[in-house]
Amino acid sequence: MPLTQPWPPTAATTLPADHQRAALVGRVFRADVGGPSVVTVRDGELVDITATFPTMRDLAEHPDPADAVGCATGERIGPLADALATTPPEYASPQQNRLLSPIDLQCVKAAGVTFVASMLERMIEERSRGDAEKAEHFRRHIVELTGAHLADIAPGSAAAARIKELLVAEDAWSQYLEVGIGPDAEIFTKTAPMSSVGTAVDIGVHPRSTWNNPEPEVVLLVSSTRRIVGATLGNDVNLRDFEGRSALLLTKAKDNNASCAIGPFVRLFDDGFDLDTVRNCDVELRVHGRDGFVLDGRSSMKQISRDPEELVAQLTATHQYPDGAVLFLGTMFAPTDDRDAPGQGFTHHVDDLVTISSPTLGTLVNRVRTSDQVAPWTFGTADLFRNLATRKLL
C-alpha cells in the first residue's frame, strides 16, 4: 500500500481483487430514508436489497446466502465510490449515503491468544504490568524460557500439559499460556450489537491509554444455527497498558467508543470462496502516521493455533445466539518496533491511518482518534426497528 494512499479510500482500493465474482454484502446509511439498508455490490454500484433482507441477520439465516444475494432484485442507490467519498466525518453530508459496519444484530465476539506470537506478547504485557519500558526485558526472559516450542504444541494436548508442568515449576506459567495452549480458548464479547464501525471512518482508543495497537484479524459471520456463512476483516483495537495492568480491565481495554472496526463488506461463502480460503489467507497491516512513521505487518491464518471451526464450536457449545454472531479469530501481529523512544515499542498517534487488507476480503481503512473525540454511537437496535417499520419492511 503506497504512502500516498488517499483518504478517503477509493472503490479500487476497497474491493477484493476478484470482486466481480464475489458475493459481497454490507450496510449503507441511506439519507433519503433516515436509516440503514442492506446492500450488495454489482459492477461498482451499491444495490439496496433490504426489501428482501431487512437485516444482515435475516440474510445470514438463509440456507444459501450467497445464492440468495445473487438472485435478489434491488434498487441501485449509487456508486460505491460516492459512498466512500462521503463516509469520513469531514466529508459527511446529511443528503448523502455513507457506509456502515456490514453487520447489525449479531453479537460481536472475539477469540484472543490464538497465535503464538501474540500469546508471548500478552505474557509480556502481564509481566511488565502494562509498562512499555519494561517490556523488552521480559520479552527476552520469556522467550528464553519458552523458546519456539510453543508453536508446535496443539492446544489441549498431552504435550501442552507437560509444557504447563515445566513452566509452573519455573514460576513462569501465565493466564495467557492457559488460553493459548490449554483446552479452553479465550472468547470474549468485544462490543455490543450495532456499535461497530465500518471502513473509511475514525476508530477510537481510550484517551488515557499510552500503549496501544491495532489488531488486524479475519472475522467470521456465524448464523443462529452455528453455520459459518462468510468472512470479513476487523480491527480489534487493543490497549496494551490497560490489559497489562490487569486482565480484569479487559472490557475497558477492548470496548470503547468506535474501538471495533469491521468491513469493508462481508464476503459470503460460495463455490469460489469458503472456509479453506480463510484458513489459507494472509492479512496485511500498514500504519502510516502524520509523523512519517510507517509500520508494516502480516498475519498468516496458516499459523493459527486453533482451527476456525473449533473456535466457533467453543463459542456456541454452551450458549445460543438467535441473531447469530461474528467472531474475530485473533491476530499474530503484536508490534514491538520503537516509535517514540528506544525500548518503548509501538503505540498509536492521533491521525494514524490503519490499513488492513487481504486479496480475497478487500481493504478496511480507519483513522485513529481518541474515543471521546470520535462521533458517538447514537443509532441502536430500537432505532433500526423503528426505521424499518416506518419503511414498511417488517
Side-chain angles (χ1 to χ4, degrees):
M1 193 68 62
L3 295 181
T4 56
Q5 175 199 332
W7 177 258
T10 66
T13 60
T14 296
L15 293 172
D18 59 344
H19 62 90
Q20 292 289 1
R21 62 184 185 88
L24 301 172
V25 288
R27 294 168 63 245
V28 167
F29 193 94
R30 287 189 59 170
D32 57 341
V33 298
S37 284
V38 177
V39 298
T40 187
V41 184
R42 295 175 183 164
D43 299 322
E45 293 275 325
L46 295 172
V47 179
D48 187 337
I49 57 173
T50 316
T52 306
F53 301 107
T55 67
M56 282 293 293
R57 183 267 179 199
D58 294 314
L59 174 57
E61 296 302 303
H62 191 278
D64 188 345
D67 182 68
V69 166
C71 296
T73 59
E75 175 189 358
R76 291 183 178 265
I77 59 173
L80 169 60
D82 289 354
L84 284 166
T86 59
T87 294
E90 66 266 39
Y91 300 111
S93 166
Q95 287 74 46
Q96 293 175 301
N97 300 328
R98 53 189 174 84
L99 287 178
L100 300 171
S101 167
I103 63 164
D104 43 39
L105 303 181
Q106 290 83 5
C107 188
V108 185
K109 308 292 284 190
V113 201
T114 54
F115 290 82
V116 170
S118 62
M119 177 176 66
L120 294 177
E121 287 302 312
R122 292 294 174 269
M123 292 170 61
I124 290 160
E125 289 169 11
E126 180 184 38
R127 293 300 179 98
S128 63
R129 295 291 187 266
D131 186 340
E133 293 185 7
K134 296 178 181 177
E136 185 56 36
H137 166 74
F138 288 109
R139 184 174 294 111
R140 288 194 300 269
H141 178 63
I142 289 173
V143 169
E144 286 172 3
L145 285 175
T146 60
H149 305 293
L150 294 177
D152 302 321
I153 298 297
S157 66
R162 288 193 294 272
I163 288 287
K164 178 175 181 177
E165 291 177 6
L166 170 66
L167 292 176
V168 167
E170 293 286 335
D171 193 28
W173 187 249
S174 161
Q175 60 193 340
Y176 295 107
L177 277 165
E178 181 64 52
V179 295
I181 64 175
D184 298 307
E186 178 194 21
I187 300 178
F188 58 91
T189 299
K190 168 62 180 178
T191 195
M194 299 286 294
S195 69
S196 58
V197 300
T199 196
V201 294
D202 293 337
I203 51 174
V205 298
H206 196 289
R208 289 196 288 112
S209 175
T210 59
W211 189 22
N212 47 70
N213 61 259
E215 292 194 346
E217 304 185 24
V218 173
V219 182
L220 298 181
L221 176 61
V222 183
S223 76
S224 66
T225 58
R226 306 180 181 183
R227 289 186 307 131
I228 306 171
V229 299
T232 185
L233 296 170
N235 187 350
D236 179 16
V237 180
N238 185 49
L239 311 182
R240 301 192 70 180
D241 44 4
F242 278 64
E243 189 174 353
R245 283 193 284 127
S246 170
L248 299 181
L249 292 174
L250 178 66
T251 298
K252 185 164 286 189
K254 289 293 188 180
D255 189 6
N256 297 290
N257 184 34
S259 67
C260 178
I262 301 175
F265 297 96
V266 171
R267 183 166 184 173
L268 299 170
F269 287 171
D270 56 20
D271 291 341
F273 178 77
D274 58 17
L275 192 57
D276 281 337
T277 314
V278 171
R279 289 184 175 108
N280 289 284
C281 80
D282 290 335
V283 178
E284 296 189 358
L285 169 80
R286 166 159 285 193
V287 178
H288 181 204
R290 282 189 179 273
D291 57 354
F293 180 88
V294 177
L295 177 70
D296 289 304
R298 170 177 291 192
S299 273
S300 172
M301 284 295 296
K302 293 178 183 178
Q303 297 185 41
I304 197 168
S305 57
R306 300 182 194 265
D307 187 77
E309 283 191 317
E310 179 195 343
L311 291 169
V312 171
Q314 290 209 25
L315 167 69
T316 58
T318 57
H319 211 324
Q320 299 74 44
Y321 296 93
D323 292 315
V326 293
L327 179 62
F328 282 70
L329 293 179
T331 184
M332 64 179 289
F333 181 76
T336 58
D337 300 34
D338 291 333
R339 182 173 193 175
D340 296 320
Q344 291 189 1
F346 169 85
T347 195
H348 272 308
H349 288 189
V350 167
D351 287 338
D352 279 352
L353 283 185
V354 181
T355 303
I356 298 170
S357 61
S358 172
T360 57
L361 294 172
T363 300
L364 172 68
V365 58
N366 299 99
R367 184 178 55 185
V368 175
R369 290 283 197 270
T370 55
S371 56
D372 57 342
Q373 297 298 315
V374 175
W377 172 36
T378 58
F379 195 96
T381 305
D383 299 289
L384 172 64
F385 279 94
R386 278 193 289 264
N387 180 265
L388 291 174
T390 299
R391 295 156 63 184
K392 302 186 185 310
L393 294 170
L394 293 179

